Amino acid sequence: MMNALLDAIKFPSDLRKLTTDQLPKLAKELRAFIIDIVATKQGHLGASLGVVELTIALHYLFDTPNDLLVWDVGHQAYGHKILTGRKDIFETYRQLHGISGFPKITESNYDAFGVGHSSTSISAALGMAIASSLKGETEKHHIAVIGDASIASGMAFEALNHAGVSNANLLIILNDNAIGIDPSVGALKEYLTKVKTDKSLAKNNIIRALNFDYSGPIDGHDLDSLLKELTRLKNKKGPKFLHVITTKGKGLDQAEKDQVKYHAPGKFDAKTGELAPKSTAVFPPKYQDVFGSTIVELARTNKNIIGITPAMLSGSSLKMMLEEFPERTFDVGIAEQHAVTLAAGMATQGMVPFCNIYSTFIQRAYDQIIHDVALQNLPVIFCLDRAGLVGEDGATHHGVFDISYMRAIPNMIVFAPRNEVELRNILYTSQLGLNHPIAIRYPRGRGFSIDWKKPFEAIELGTGVCLQKGTNSAILSLGTIGNNVTKALEELPNIAHYDMRFAKPLDEKLLHTICANFNHIITIEDGVKKGGFGSAILEFIAEHHYKNSIKILGIQDDFIEHGTIEELQKINGIDSGAIKQILKDLY
């Protein structure tokens, strides 16, 4: 379609040349631009469609990038990127060497703060506002746009508590669409719903009680209302809070009707919104579905099993358990710390809590894992979905640190299944009764076998297995990256391959055998090399005074950018081709 207005805009300075009556047409063009590209390139759709008018209004009225705009999370920021100098390269988003799918301070001076996790915007914008005040920049504006799912997080509340007693020139905009990835949950969500229709609550609400100049709720798709209220707030000092009602997926009927599916819908028809037809071929299951299906199966016979997730019912496939056992399934909202300690409390009372949190997000609850779970040696079962490289979401979402930070914790068991059957069996083993907490890490995406629903078999804790015998040289793998090794060894039958399975406790009996029989040892993991599985093997070798030569393969000491998992594995030298070449060169 012709984008007469959008074509002429490269930066917000161009946007500000338009008249206000041209802005609705620009909003329509911007929506169409986002839909056209996401339809083929894939990515996050609904959130950015919902804030098109708000994005235009903010850049139209405020002097960005001098005025600082922070998004929370980054799913909302596609329109922001398009209007801030990245329209011509927007189609490269989430591709290797292309622009990020999230705001990133090294990418543009319009991205005031890097955001990939939720609930950070208020703290960051408040910090910026206080800094501006200390520097005497009293006219500078600091704006945080936060969703109703994100504002329920503890960190957001901590920031609100601080901001309310400051004189910071801070504007918080609540983008209230009643949904994050899944529908928002909790008492605050119910309160915000009531505020929309109950004027008495709007006048005497929790935000006003925290000393904010509260206004709203207003229609976030009505540009006249947005411009009028933002202009008022722009001229008012101190902490301000604007409650805006939007529709996630606005402008695409299917995205408005099925907001969960169209959060990140994959490929779809830009005109009709219909999703691309799925292949009729039978594929191995996603690891998340192996987890979801298995925990339901186990919960049918073990009444003490509990499922807990922080706002990832669909992403973790705990939705399967919610459908069958709603009284034993808990979505606590974007509150990873609470999820962990909630699980700890349940464990003290004999429950069997499966706490399912993406690897990158459980980093936010590290203190709770140490003090509330491990220190008390409570048998919480942590299921770390999206472990390892996750692909196009990039540095904020890769789950590459969990082996290192989990194995450092006393009492913690760390297990990585090589395939779906092993994931199924460790879930079964864990609910039989453990004396310690366990972290089970598994990747994003599909497994390897269609025939994965085997009868349950208990796994002996701290044991590895030999997958291929060999002489002189051995490669030790942990988790699904071992399948790359298996492929690499198809032409190298004389090299031994061991799947160690446990990063902690190590199979020391097996390691003694390996160290006594092989001169050369290679370790491989899809986590960081620093302090990871390979480091554990080095520690064992040093402790027992072995003289084997060791080479560690894994994720380099850097934050890895976005790209396909295959591309990123190749960059880090852990794809099957790189493994094969290393083995040929060394041995």
Side-chain angles (χ1 to χ4, degrees):
M1 65 177 287
M2 293 294 293
N3 292 320
L5 297 177
L6 185 59
D7 287 345
I9 296 172
K10 288 191 177 295
F11 293 98
S13 56
D14 301 315
L15 167 64
R16 294 168 197 138
K17 296 174 184 176
L18 300 180
T19 60
T20 55
D21 59 3
Q22 290 177 297
L23 298 183
K25 183 176 186 301
L26 175 63
K28 186 175 181 179
E29 293 179 5
L30 182 55
R31 266 199 183 88
F33 187 88
I34 293 171
I35 291 170
D36 284 345
I37 291 183
V38 178
T40 57
K41 299 296 183 180
Q42 307 183 67
H44 299 102
L45 177 69
S48 285
L49 292 183
V51 294
V52 163
E53 287 85 3
L54 179 60
T55 303
I56 290 171
L58 288 171
H59 283 296
Y60 188 75
L61 286 178
F62 291 92
D63 183 25
T64 55
N66 296 315
D67 289 333
L68 301 173
L69 175 58
V70 181
W71 294 92
D72 192 333
V73 189
H75 300 150
Q76 308 177 78
Y78 285 4
H80 160 80
K81 290 200 168 207
I82 292 163
L83 295 175
T84 55
R86 288 163 281 184
K87 182 179 70 210
D88 294 341
I89 57 171
F90 183 69
E91 64 179 13
T92 70
Y93 74 104
R94 304 178 80 244
Q95 298 175 38
L96 187 67
H97 307 312
I99 63 173
S100 170
F102 301 96
K104 186 177 180 181
I105 59 174
T106 56
E107 185 179 290
S108 170
N109 61 348
Y110 286 91
D111 293 355
F113 201 75
V115 287
H117 290 186
S118 83
S119 313
T120 60
S121 63
I122 302 176
S123 296
L126 176 60
M128 295 169 184
I130 293 173
S132 294
S133 178
L134 292 172
K135 292 190 293 184
E137 298 172 350
T138 56
E139 299 304 312
K140 194 167 189 172
H141 295 279
H142 313 83
I143 307 146
V145 181
I146 185 168
D148 58 285
S150 297
I151 204 168
S153 161
M155 185 175 176
F157 269 102
E158 293 167 19
L160 285 169
N161 183 54
H162 182 190
V165 293
S166 75
N167 293 317
N169 194 17
L170 174 69
L171 170 59
I172 299 168
I173 300 175
L174 175 62
N175 173 29
D176 184 358
N177 56 25
I179 189 166
I181 294 175
D182 291 295
S184 301
V185 297
L188 183 61
K189 178 255 183 179
E190 293 182 3
Y191 174 81
L192 291 173
T193 300
K194 293 175 182 175
V195 166
K196 296 173 189 176
T197 56
D198 189 330
K199 292 183 179 180
S200 65
L201 280 177
K203 292 179 179 179
N204 302 288
N205 64 61
I206 189 172
I207 304 301
R208 279 204 172 99
L210 292 172
N211 299 326
F212 282 83
D213 180 316
Y214 172 91
S215 59
I218 67 171
D219 182 352
H221 303 300
D222 182 340
L223 272 162
D224 287 339
S225 296
L226 280 174
L227 293 171
K228 180 179 178 181
E229 186 56 27
L230 286 172
T231 298
R232 183 188 77 82
L233 293 170
K234 184 178 178 181
N235 295 309
K236 191 171 181 62
K237 300 296 183 183
K240 305 167 286 287
F241 192 103
L242 175 60
H243 187 174
V244 173
I245 308 300
T246 63
T247 300
K248 188 172 183 178
K250 179 73 172 178
L252 187 66
D253 286 345
Q254 286 85 343
E256 292 185 35
K257 292 173 183 175
D258 194 340
Q259 295 172 326
V260 173
K261 183 179 292 184
Y262 281 81
H263 171 75
K267 293 185 178 181
F268 62 94
D269 187 294
K271 291 183 179 179
T272 67
E274 293 297 324
L275 298 181
K278 292 185 177 180
S279 171
T280 57
V282 179
F283 293 102
K286 293 180 179 179
Y287 280 98
Q288 67 184 62
D289 291 336
V290 174
F291 164 79
S293 174
T294 302
I295 193 174
V296 169
E297 189 175 347
L298 295 171
R300 289 174 185 146
T301 57
N302 187 340
K303 61 179 176 37
N304 291 327
I305 286 178
I306 303 290
I308 301 170
T309 183
M312 290 294 168
L313 278 172
S314 297
S316 69
S317 291
L318 259 179
K319 184 168 277 189
M320 296 181 187
M321 186 169 176
L322 179 70
E323 291 169 355
E324 189 161 339
F325 300 105
E327 75 284 357
R328 288 195 272 154
T329 308
F330 298 89
D331 178 358
V332 300
I334 303 175
E336 295 86 359
Q337 295 173 329
H338 169 56
V340 170
T341 304
L342 178 72
M346 290 180 172
T348 67
Q349 302 305 304
M351 297 292 104
V352 182
F354 284 79
C355 188
N356 190 303
I357 306 179
Y358 290 9
S359 173
T360 183
F361 296 141
I362 203 169
Q363 294 164 181
R364 313 182 91 187
Y366 195 57
D367 180 72
Q368 286 70 27
I369 295 169
I370 293 174
H371 286 268
D372 299 340
V373 176
L375 181 62
Q376 303 184 97
N377 204 18
L378 296 171
V380 173
I381 303 162
F382 294 108
C383 298
L384 309 189
D385 199 338
R386 272 64 165 178
L389 296 166
V390 300
E392 292 84 353
D393 283 341
T396 58
H397 280 60
H398 294 315
V400 296
F401 302 106
D402 52 45
I403 301 171
S404 293
Y405 64 67
M406 283 296 191
R407 83 174 191 89
I409 303 173
N411 293 328
M412 185 65 69
I413 301 167
V414 183
F415 180 89
R418 187 178 76 259
N419 54 37
E420 305 94 306
V421 174
E422 284 202 336
L423 174 56
R424 181 172 164 81
N425 284 335
I426 196 64
L427 294 172
Y428 167 73
T429 302
S430 298
Q431 58 86 48
L432 291 176
L434 296 176
N435 296 321
H436 305 287
I438 185 170
I440 305 166
R441 70 184 306 269
Y442 51 93
R444 178 184 188 181
R446 296 190 181 277
F448 301 90
S449 174
I450 295 171
D451 184 23
W452 59 275
K453 277 200 173 182
K454 305 286 188 181
F456 289 119
E457 294 182 12
I459 292 176
E460 183 180 353
L461 299 180
T463 61
V465 294
C466 178
L467 300 179
Q468 177 174 304
K469 295 181 179 180
T471 58
N472 193 43
S473 302
I475 185 162
L476 281 54
S477 62
L478 184 76
T480 57
I481 199 69
N483 295 286
N484 284 9
V485 176
T486 298
K487 185 176 180 181
L489 294 183
E490 289 175 352
E491 299 175 12
L492 301 167
N494 294 324
I495 295 175
H497 179 200
Y498 294 87
D499 173 17
M500 297 305 293
R501 304 198 295 186
F502 290 87
K504 186 178 183 180
L506 291 170
D507 187 340
E508 295 199 354
K509 181 179 178 181
L510 182 58
L511 282 174
H512 279 298
T513 299
I514 293 169
C515 291
N517 287 281
F518 298 96
N519 294 325
H520 308 295
I521 297 173
I522 294 177
T523 70
I524 185 167
E525 59 201 294
D526 61 348
V528 291
K529 292 189 286 185
K530 301 290 186 182
F533 165 66
S535 292
I537 301 301
L538 276 176
E539 291 163 13
F540 173 87
I541 287 173
E543 181 180 351
H544 295 283
H545 307 291
Y546 285 111
K547 304 299 181 183
N548 314 72
S549 69
I550 304 292
K551 184 174 182 62
I552 297 176
L553 303 180
I555 307 302
Q556 60 199 26
D557 187 23
D558 199 359
F559 288 105
I560 308 303
E561 64 173 309
H562 48 277
T564 66
I565 292 175
E566 293 76 14
E567 289 170 335
L568 301 180
Q569 285 185 351
K570 188 172 184 179
I571 287 171
N572 285 276
I574 56 174
D575 64 306
S576 60
I579 297 166
K580 183 188 297 185
Q581 190 58 52
I582 288 169
L583 292 169
K584 285 182 176 180
D585 290 346
L586 290 178
Y587 315 125

